[in-house]
Amino acid sequence: MFDFNFQEIQPILKVENLNKLFGFNKGCQNINFELFPGEVLAIVGESGSGKSTLLNSLSGHEQPDSGDVIYHAKNEQDYSLYKINESERRLLMRTELGFVHQNPRDGLRLRISAGGNIGERLMAVGERHYGDIRSKGENWLEQVEINSDRIDEQPRFFSGGMQQRLQIARTLVTHPRLVFMDEPTGGLDVSVQARLLDLIRQLVQKHQLAVVLVTHDLSVARLLAHRIIVMKQSEIVETGLTDQVLDDPQHPYSQLLVSSILN
Amino acid sequence: MNNATQLTPALEVKNITKTFTLHQQQGVAYTVLDDFSFSLNRGECLVLNGPSGQGKSTALKILYANYLPDSGEVWFHFNNHSVELYSSNTHQVVYLRENHIGYVSQFLRVIPRVSALDIVAEPLISQGFDESASRDNAAELLTRLNIPEKLWSLSPYTFSGGEQQRINIARGFIKPVPFLFLDEPTASLDEKNKQVVLELINEFKQNGTAVVGIFHDADIRQDLADKIIDL
């Protein structure tokens, strides 16, 4: 216990001078940070501060105006997400990256079965054996606390919380190393939120995921994230360890955010 | 342990200054710590002493990177390496906390749906220890701290203040660490449980842990302190 055996590792994501603006201070600009394997980073800030634009640019969905997003892949190669060609990027997004939308309708097909939703991602990465796909589907339903005998039901008949859990199963089944989440508990009842947050916390730990999470709810950040980025009007105004930023915020805007929480 | 490591202190705090600036309240600024320094050897306990509002908790929180100082250094010395808290990246600080520091805050932060036993076992499990062995250790500690077994599987949401604090203590003491920071761990405990906490702290000291603590009770301070700093 008196030895310090920290291994310096490569960041899984490097963001360099990223800019994506839709108008004056609308979007995100001058964004620089690194994310490490197994690290959970929360991006917080009010609506319109550029959180979602940033997330879309980081995850390969929104070409930035300038700057670089460099992903360090499983094969130890670096890929600049917007300099590689479209098909390479799509392949990375299917295999190593995952995205959980705020609204499960954006991440699911509501009229195909729950099992089909999970299986589709597996088939997209080349799995063909029906029995394997089905048993992985059942296993993942159980992991997100959905009874596996509901595998043939269509998610349009599921509650919002169940749909969100199914979307998480669909995202994680291909074992991504880096997952982006946009307000994953956004539209849910408070009681359902708590359950989902605890589930996400467990899955992130169990599968050692790196996560970039957008939320306007500081208690979500407190529970899930190692580190926080505070955004205001398209720029990062403060960043640091989650508990440090929430307990001892430095920037006037962070102080305003933290002092606005009702206890 | 070789001779060189015996001569090096375990923990060195150099010239810490901390000012709080309240931007939402007319930018009022007040300085809580000014040129705060100490050094501490393995197996020693430093007690931070003084009336409330003098910066005892602030000093402790700065050792854990929970509060950010304006200036100064916090050095953690190991056999093979030294780490300065405020020139390390957050990734390294998280590693330091998870693997080498025990921290008992004044209040337990309850996580929805997680049982008392799992809250206590988590620091071991997240370091990769076997889950059932970790739960056995947690159960042993909860028994020592007189938490009835029927409560172990429940979320501490509904526990009394003293019970929650003992869960918090058990979580802080579950893994052997070279550094242990305690913020009034005995504040809401009865005499019997205070003695258990005292025993636990002494066991850690004997194993070479450097302890920094704030203690409400004069007799506990007396019992544990190798050094006292009055703030």
Side-chain angles (χ1 to χ4, degrees), chain A:
Chain A
M1 83 180 183
F2 296 112
D3 282 342
F4 189 73
N5 297 319
F6 179 78
Q7 300 288 325
E8 199 53 70
I9 43 171
Q10 285 258 14
I12 191 167
L13 192 71
K14 271 192 281 190
V15 183
E16 294 171 353
N17 300 316
L18 188 78
N19 293 287
K20 175 71 192 178
L21 289 177
F22 301 100
F24 180 69
N25 286 355
K26 282 283 162 218
C28 59
Q29 56 185 329
N30 308 320
I31 307 294
N32 289 283
F33 69 86
E34 292 181 340
L35 182 78
F36 289 88
E39 191 179 26
V40 180
L41 172 73
I43 303 173
V44 304
E46 64 199 354
S47 310
S49 58
K51 308 189 294 287
S52 295
T53 304
L54 175 56
L55 196 70
N56 287 333
S57 282
L58 298 180
S59 59
H61 290 94
E62 179 94 58
Q63 172 105 36
D65 302 334
S66 61
D68 218 344
V69 179
I70 300 158
Y71 173 71
H72 186 73
K74 207 183 290 183
N75 65 8
E76 301 288 335
Q77 300 274 322
D78 281 341
Y79 295 93
S80 172
L81 281 192
Y82 296 98
K83 287 180 187 148
I84 55 179
N85 64 44
E86 175 82 15
S87 65
E88 278 181 300
R89 181 164 73 243
R90 295 257 161 232
L91 181 67
L92 275 184
M93 287 165 74
R94 274 204 305 274
T95 53
E96 303 204 13
L97 310 182
F99 198 102
V100 175
H101 298 267
Q102 173 173 8
N103 189 336
R105 282 151 208 274
D106 296 331
L108 291 175
R109 290 175 196 266
L110 294 178
R111 287 171 188 277
I112 69 167
S113 69
N117 268 283
I118 299 175
E120 188 182 44
R121 281 270 292 185
L122 287 172
M123 289 191 284
V125 296
E127 292 216 21
R128 288 292 174 266
H129 187 279
Y130 177 80
D132 285 352
I133 291 173
R134 191 170 173 89
S135 74
K136 280 184 186 169
E138 285 170 345
N139 175 287
W140 269 97
L141 285 177
E142 295 287 346
Q143 283 206 52
V144 297
E145 302 173 7
I146 296 174
N147 199 324
S148 57
D149 61 17
R150 305 193 66 169
I151 191 165
D152 297 316
E153 291 179 32
Q154 294 175 20
R156 66 186 162 124
F157 301 117
F158 288 0
S159 68
M162 270 177 77
Q163 288 180 348
Q164 196 56 298
R165 281 180 275 135
L166 179 62
Q167 191 192 182
I168 289 169
R170 175 182 158 98
T171 305
L172 298 188
V173 67
T174 51
H175 295 288
R177 300 166 67 233
L178 171 57
V179 178
F180 301 93
M181 298 185 183
D182 190 4
E183 304 271 10
T185 59
L188 303 171
D189 286 345
V190 180
S191 60
V192 179
Q193 275 189 19
R195 178 180 185 185
L196 186 66
L197 281 175
D198 181 47
L199 180 71
I200 293 174
R201 199 181 64 89
Q202 285 177 20
L203 290 171
V204 164
Q205 202 172 53
K206 180 174 168 195
H207 299 282
Q208 285 295 298
L209 299 173
V211 177
V212 182
L213 167 87
V214 158
T215 181
H216 67 271
D217 185 340
L218 297 183
S219 57
V220 169
R222 166 92 73 178
L223 190 67
L224 294 178
H226 298 106
R227 190 154 56 100
I228 277 189
I229 282 177
V230 182
M231 285 187 76
K232 180 176 189 272
Q233 290 177 350
S234 74
E235 292 190 281
I236 295 177
V237 296
E238 181 165 354
T239 176
L241 288 166
T242 300
D243 59 283
Q244 186 260 299
V245 173
L246 295 182
D247 294 341
D248 187 21
Q250 307 291 310
H251 189 275
Y253 178 68
S254 317
Q255 290 189 359
L256 177 66
L257 268 188
V258 170
S259 65
S260 309
I261 306 173
L262 299 174
N263 268 321

Side-chain angles (χ1 to χ4, degrees), chain B residues 82-202:
Chain B
S82 293
V83 182
E84 201 284 306
L85 196 57
Y86 293 100
S87 50
S88 303
N89 64 35
T90 50
H91 190 56
Q92 214 167 352
V93 176
V94 169
Y95 179 88
L96 181 70
R97 283 177 169 188
E98 284 182 353
N99 292 281
H100 299 291
I101 304 178
Y103 185 84
V104 178
S105 58
Q106 275 178 293
F107 302 101
L108 176 69
R109 204 171 275 284
V110 181
I111 306 163
R113 293 209 308 169
V114 182
S115 72
L117 191 70
D118 283 353
I119 288 179
V120 176
E122 192 186 24
L124 278 182
I125 295 172
S126 70
Q127 270 184 279
F129 284 91
D130 176 68
E131 289 195 19
S132 78
S134 301
R135 290 203 179 87
D136 289 347
N137 285 2
E140 200 180 308
L141 212 43
L142 288 174
T143 307
R144 271 186 85 177
L145 286 158
N146 302 297
I147 300 287
E149 192 171 346
K150 64 175 193 288
L151 297 181
W152 296 357
S153 60
L154 305 178
S155 160
Y157 239 100
T158 54
F159 291 9
S160 73
E163 283 163 349
Q164 289 198 359
Q165 185 55 354
R166 278 178 279 153
I167 304 298
N168 211 15
I169 290 166
R171 186 180 158 92
F173 283 84
I174 185 79
K175 59 178 189 208
V177 282
F179 305 98
L180 184 62
F181 304 143
L182 308 168
D183 196 349
E184 303 225 28
T186 53
S188 48
L189 301 186
D190 58 28
E191 207 44 50
K192 186 168 85 171
N193 285 308
K194 265 179 202 164
Q195 289 309 316
V196 177
V197 174
L198 207 56
E199 277 169 34
L200 284 168
I201 297 171
N202 275 317

